[in-house]
Amino acid sequence: MDKEEASNSSTEIQCAGVPASAEVLEKEEPGPINIPEFDNWSKCVIFRVPRKLRDSNEKAYTPHLVSIGPFHHGNKALNGMESHKKNYYFKQFCVRTDKNETHLMSFIRERSDKILDCYAGAIKLDRVDFENMVLIDACFIFELFSRAFETRHNEDYILRTPCLLEEIRLDLLMLENQIPFVFLEELYNFSYPRLGPRQSVCTSNNQGDTDQECCNINIRLLNCLAVSCNSSGCISCKKHESTDEENQGQQPSTFLMLAINFFNKSPASTLDVKKKIRHFTDLVRQLRLPKDGIKTPKHHVTHLYSATKLNEAGIHFARAPQRKGSMPPLARVKERRPWCKYIPCFHSLRLELPLFKIEDSTECILRNVIALEQCLYPFEAFICNYVFLISELIDTEKDLEILVENKIIDNMLGSNKEATDLVNELKHNMSIVQFTYSDEFKELNDFYGRWYNKAKAKLISVYFKDLWTGSSTVVGIFVLIFTTTSTIKSLFFS
């Protein structure tokens, strides 16, 4: 079937087992998540955001500048970038590669069925248009990521306009705006791109010098990403040909490094390269996961007292220590004074939490990661569990202030009320199959329920809240003792 016949047929592509007769509205109005057939559901990795989550904030799930993938393709509000992707970024990427458009298209055509299986929903595109869309979107991503890694990109309008770059970065992180990561890696390796087409990264005529220079460049990149370079060859300008499975597990692909370089703002974050990455939303999620994994709680407790009440009971808050090259656990309760564990009135707890930065992009990123976990990782919902924990701690602005003072939350929004509302709204309509922190909740609630803990904390906060108050209290105690002693002595020994 040629392109003209395909366009006239107006037949919907069938993906993820959804019948071809499924209705798709002319206007782009995503509805509830489409349920795939039972024999294909395990292949779905890119979903429509469920309506109950989308209703909370429609803008957080809808791209504003660039459309990637079929779900938002054809949206008139995003047409401004389509010609720019095709006429500029696609052509510029072809300069980097040894393949022409025909070779790239044949590669996509061979894998179009597998790509379609990754989408949970009906797509109103014929096959030829779908393949053209994938080609343009993939090459746009490759060229943008490559330019972001290069030191010289002043001629690129997007990269030298911070607000525009941040908006596109958020668009590329949205769950509905994705292309399968495995396919992107395969196409990137097949296209054989080189970094720096105008000023070649490898300029030496001597092959040994070329490999050494390229490895130096990649070592610099890997150091920025907290990943060690174990390759003996150049990975910027040729495919990695190691046959050692262990080395392959430790050595990420060039495209993976470019993706981490583009999205990750925290170089200290690490990634378990043995885990399969589904798409960019999944990549951002995995960059924020601890290595400890999820644990099965012994209790079922889903309510926690606010940070203010826990603080009144003597529970201390602290930022979790982070070792170099690893992410800290998302939450941990520790004995503040282990030697007082068996003396109830002196027992003290400390809740350690990692830094939670609240900025303009936080809501968009977290909402899409939450939607991903609700659809794909219901039993490994690390981020959902942590968001629920934070929202339980924060009920009022005073709760937020306590966590800010203990450097657990970095509020870059400026308004405590706005940050408090954001945290509380994130958990709306969120379903948690298995709550990881039930044991921690029970331990903290039990500590708060003991009357002597609250009495001790009240005594300390009133009479020993600072050096001067504590000094006055001690002096007052000694004055009371001496006065009482003098009075008794005068009464019985006069």
Side-chain angles (χ1 to χ4, degrees):
M1 178 186 297
D2 57 19
K3 184 174 181 178
E4 182 177 358
E5 293 175 347
S7 61
N8 293 331
S9 64
S10 67
T11 302
E12 292 182 356
I13 290 178
Q14 186 174 357
C15 67
V18 178
S21 59
E23 293 184 1
V24 179
L25 298 177
E26 287 291 331
K27 185 179 180 181
E28 182 108 11
E29 295 182 357
I33 186 171
N34 292 284
I35 307 297
E37 296 292 343
F38 292 106
D39 56 342
N40 287 331
W41 71 268
S42 60
K43 299 179 182 179
C44 299
V45 296
I46 302 172
F47 304 86
R48 290 283 197 180
V49 176
R51 173 55 64 183
K52 68 174 186 176
L53 295 178
R54 179 178 288 277
D55 287 342
S56 300
N57 188 347
E58 181 85 19
K59 294 181 179 180
Y61 307 102
T62 306
H64 299 159
L65 289 177
V66 60
S67 168
I68 301 294
F71 286 156
H72 293 277
H73 184 76
N75 188 341
K76 294 181 179 180
L78 306 175
N79 284 343
M81 278 293 297
E82 290 301 317
S83 59
H84 196 56
K85 289 192 297 183
K86 183 176 181 180
N87 298 328
Y88 183 70
Y89 278 90
F90 174 69
K91 292 181 179 179
Q92 290 299 318
F93 181 74
C94 288
V95 176
R96 295 180 183 268
T97 179
D98 291 339
K99 310 293 183 183
N100 56 33
E101 182 177 353
T102 303
H103 293 148
L104 296 175
M105 181 56 71
S106 63
F107 183 88
I108 293 174
R109 189 170 293 114
E110 293 173 358
R111 292 160 176 78
S112 60
D113 289 334
K114 293 183 179 179
I115 300 174
L116 284 167
D117 286 341
C118 296
Y119 292 94
I123 301 170
K124 191 180 179 181
L125 284 173
D126 60 66
R127 185 169 294 273
V128 174
D129 288 342
F130 177 81
E131 293 167 354
N132 287 330
M133 176 211 64
V134 171
L135 175 63
I136 298 300
D137 289 351
C139 291
F140 164 74
I141 291 173
F142 296 154
E143 181 65 18
L144 181 65
F145 286 13
S146 299
R147 286 170 173 259
F149 170 66
E150 293 168 354
T151 56
R152 295 186 178 183
H153 50 253
N154 294 330
E155 73 281 2
D156 192 289
Y157 181 74
I158 292 178
L159 295 176
R160 62 185 176 91
T161 310
C163 60
L164 188 61
L165 175 61
E166 183 63 23
E167 196 72 36
I168 290 179
R169 182 182 283 115
L170 292 179
D171 284 351
L172 294 180
L173 291 178
M174 293 181 181
L175 178 59
E176 295 181 351
N177 217 32
Q178 300 297 323
I179 293 178
F181 192 87
V182 174
F183 165 75
L184 289 176
E185 279 192 313
E186 292 176 352
L187 180 59
Y188 187 85
N189 293 333
F190 172 79
S191 61
Y192 196 59
R194 295 183 177 87
L195 294 179
R198 296 168 183 78
Q199 183 177 358
S200 180
V201 173
C202 302
T203 58
S204 175
N205 293 326
N206 185 290
Q207 183 64 31
D209 294 341
T210 300
D211 287 345
Q212 181 62 39
E213 183 179 354
C214 290
C215 282
N216 289 337
I217 292 172
N218 283 283
I219 289 174
R220 184 176 73 251
L221 173 61
L222 288 170
N223 286 337
C224 292
L225 304 178
V227 182
S228 59
C229 181
N230 297 319
S231 174
S232 59
C234 171
I235 58 176
S236 280
C237 18
K238 65 179 181 179
K239 297 179 183 178
H240 183 55
E241 298 177 352
S242 172
T243 57
D244 189 340
E245 293 184 358
E246 182 177 356
N247 288 338
Q248 288 180 355
Q250 296 175 354
Q251 180 61 61
S253 67
T254 305
F255 179 68
L256 175 59
M257 290 190 293
L258 290 178
I260 296 176
N261 177 70
F262 184 80
F263 289 113
N264 191 25
K265 296 182 179 180
S266 177
S269 299
T270 60
L271 177 69
D272 187 355
V273 296
K274 295 181 180 180
K275 291 185 178 180
K276 187 176 182 180
I277 300 173
R278 311 292 184 172
H279 39 68
F280 294 146
T281 313
D282 191 32
L283 173 63
V284 172
R285 172 184 176 270
Q286 293 194 32
L287 286 170
R288 286 158 172 78
L289 296 184
K291 289 187 176 181
D292 297 343
I294 197 167
K295 63 181 181 66
T296 303
K298 299 178 181 178
H299 306 87
H300 182 69
V301 180
T302 57
H303 168 70
L304 180 66
Y305 291 103
S306 66
T308 301
K309 291 185 176 181
L310 295 179
N311 189 55
E312 291 174 353
I315 295 175
H316 299 263
F317 298 90
R319 187 195 294 189
Q322 180 174 346
R323 296 179 181 178
K324 187 176 181 180
S326 64
M327 288 291 290
L330 294 182
R332 179 170 54 188
V333 178
K334 296 185 67 176
E335 303 286 341
R336 190 161 179 258
R337 290 187 292 267
W339 50 275
C340 294
K341 181 177 181 179
Y342 299 103
I343 307 177
C345 61
F346 293 107
H347 187 206
S348 181
L349 294 179
R350 179 176 63 203
L351 177 60
E352 294 183 351
L353 300 169
L355 176 64
F356 183 67
K357 184 177 292 187
I358 302 178
E359 50 189 346
D360 293 334
S361 61
T362 299
E363 181 176 9
C364 177
I365 295 174
L366 283 181
R367 282 191 180 278
N368 281 275
V369 172
I370 288 172
L372 170 64
E373 290 191 337
Q374 295 286 285
C375 297
L376 192 60
Y377 301 107
F379 298 97
E380 297 179 356
F382 295 93
I383 306 302
C384 290
N385 279 271
Y386 185 68
V387 169
F388 187 84
L389 184 153
I390 293 294
S391 64
E392 285 292 293
L393 287 174
I394 300 176
D395 288 338
T396 63
E397 297 177 34
K398 187 177 180 181
D399 299 323
L400 180 72
E401 290 176 0
I402 292 175
L403 298 182
V404 170
E405 290 174 359
N406 289 276
K407 300 181 179 180
I408 294 174
I409 288 183
D410 185 5
N411 182 17
M412 302 183 68
L413 297 180
S415 170
N416 285 342
K417 183 180 185 307
E418 186 177 354
T420 302
D421 293 340
L422 170 61
V423 171
N424 287 314
E425 289 173 359
L426 284 174
K427 72 174 182 179
H428 288 173
N429 297 319
M430 185 171 62
S431 301
I432 297 181
V433 179
Q434 177 176 308
F435 188 59
T436 310
Y437 305 112
S438 291
D439 295 343
E440 286 80 1
F441 274 28
K442 186 177 187 306
E443 186 175 2
L444 294 172
N445 288 338
D446 290 346
F447 186 92
Y448 175 82
R450 301 185 184 103
W451 67 269
Y452 48 80
N453 288 326
K454 287 180 281 188
K456 177 189 65 177
K458 187 69 174 179
L459 178 66
I460 293 175
S461 64
V462 173
Y463 296 104
F464 298 94
K465 63 180 180 180
D466 53 40
L467 177 62
W468 305 113
T469 306
S471 301
S472 301
T473 301
V474 172
V475 171
I477 291 174
F478 277 104
V479 170
L480 177 62
I481 293 174
F482 289 140
T483 303
T484 303
T485 304
S486 300
T487 301
I488 294 175
K489 185 177 180 180
S490 62
L491 290 175
F492 291 95
F493 298 98
S494 56

